Amino acid sequence: MTVMADRPHMLTEEFETLARIGAREVEGLRLEFIDGKLGVKAVPDGDHGLVIEWLLRICIQHRPELFLYGEQGLKVQRYREGRARPDGVLAPSGFMKAQGEWVDPEAVLMVVEVTSYDSDTDRRDRIEKPRAFAETGIPVYLLIDRDSCEVSVHSEPDGHRYETVRTVPFGKDVRLPDPVGITLPTEVLKDWVR
């Protein structure tokens, strides 16, 4: 591996090696690589897991041909040079077959992030990831923000950003636009915040 001081950014292949070693050697370590920068994703708490369980149940009930994969590594950004590990990836059941740890996002309908109570949630979940997912062309980015008690639905990616963002407070139903086409009743999310 090349010494990082000699150049400004890590190569994607170097990141994948580092992430693989880190996951094997340090329990709970989850790395991401967005905008050429290495990031560490917080280990989720129990309520975070309950939010994902709630969403998984809704998705299976309304769209049984799809599955909400947890923590699936995705190739993101232009030319797929980034690597992200969203909290949820909604895609056709079986889409990951024979793809390895970092899958191609072509079949992904929606990615989901549930905010954690860590210092870089604002930058990572509200700025960097929406941009990376929009650049990738993922149709819907769902942010369940436990800090502000809001759900934000980002849609209509233009290759740089999402053109439409709809934000509602917990307790109000929110429609996930096509190709997802599900309405989420968000009242229960009030139970899973600090």
Side-chain angles (χ1 to χ4, degrees):
M1 197 178 279
T2 307
V3 176
M4 292 307 298
D6 295 343
R7 58 191 157 83
H9 295 289
M10 177 183 290
L11 299 174
T12 305
E13 296 79 20
E14 292 169 335
F15 165 76
E16 289 179 352
T17 300
L18 181 63
R20 198 170 31 258
I21 293 168
R24 186 177 62 232
E25 297 295 323
V26 181
E27 185 177 341
L29 181 64
R30 300 171 328 154
L31 300 175
E32 295 181 305
F33 188 57
I34 300 174
D35 288 335
K37 293 179 271 182
L38 180 66
V40 178
K41 187 168 179 176
V43 175
D45 60 32
D47 288 341
H48 184 284
L50 290 173
V51 172
I52 295 298
E53 177 186 342
W54 162 81
L55 186 59
L56 172 64
R57 289 178 188 274
I58 291 171
C59 291
I60 288 175
Q61 179 183 7
H62 293 279
R63 299 287 308 271
E65 77 281 12
L66 303 176
F67 193 77
L68 184 70
Y69 297 90
E71 299 295 322
Q72 178 57 54
L74 288 180
K75 296 175 182 177
V76 297
Q77 296 179 297
R78 292 188 191 135
Y79 311 111
R80 310 294 194 254
E81 291 298 321
R83 299 292 182 265
R85 197 174 294 281
D87 293 323
V89 174
L90 185 67
S93 180
F95 98 104
M96 300 183 311
K97 184 177 181 180
Q99 290 200 53
E101 182 177 0
W102 303 99
V103 301
D104 189 289
E106 293 302 319
V108 173
L109 305 179
M110 178 176 75
V111 288
V112 180
E113 288 294 345
V114 178
T115 58
S116 297
Y117 301 109
D118 63 334
S119 62
D120 67 342
T121 288
D122 185 55
R123 176 185 49 80
R124 187 182 63 245
D125 293 342
R126 297 182 190 103
I127 298 168
E128 292 176 353
K129 284 192 174 179
R131 184 177 60 240
F133 297 143
E135 287 177 2
T136 305
I138 295 171
V140 178
Y141 171 55
L142 175 65
L143 176 62
I144 299 173
D145 195 328
R146 296 187 300 159
D147 293 322
S148 65
C149 295
E150 295 175 321
V151 175
S152 295
V153 179
H154 303 243
S155 60
E156 300 179 39
D158 69 2
H160 300 285
R161 63 183 180 85
Y162 286 101
E163 291 184 358
T164 302
V165 179
R166 177 157 189 249
T167 302
V168 301
F170 286 0
K172 188 172 182 179
D173 290 0
V174 65
R175 178 85 177 149
L176 302 176
D178 290 335
V180 180
I182 296 172
T183 298
L184 299 177
T186 68
E187 182 68 32
V188 71
L189 294 174
K190 294 178 180 178
D191 294 340
W192 299 318
V193 296
R194 287 184 183 171

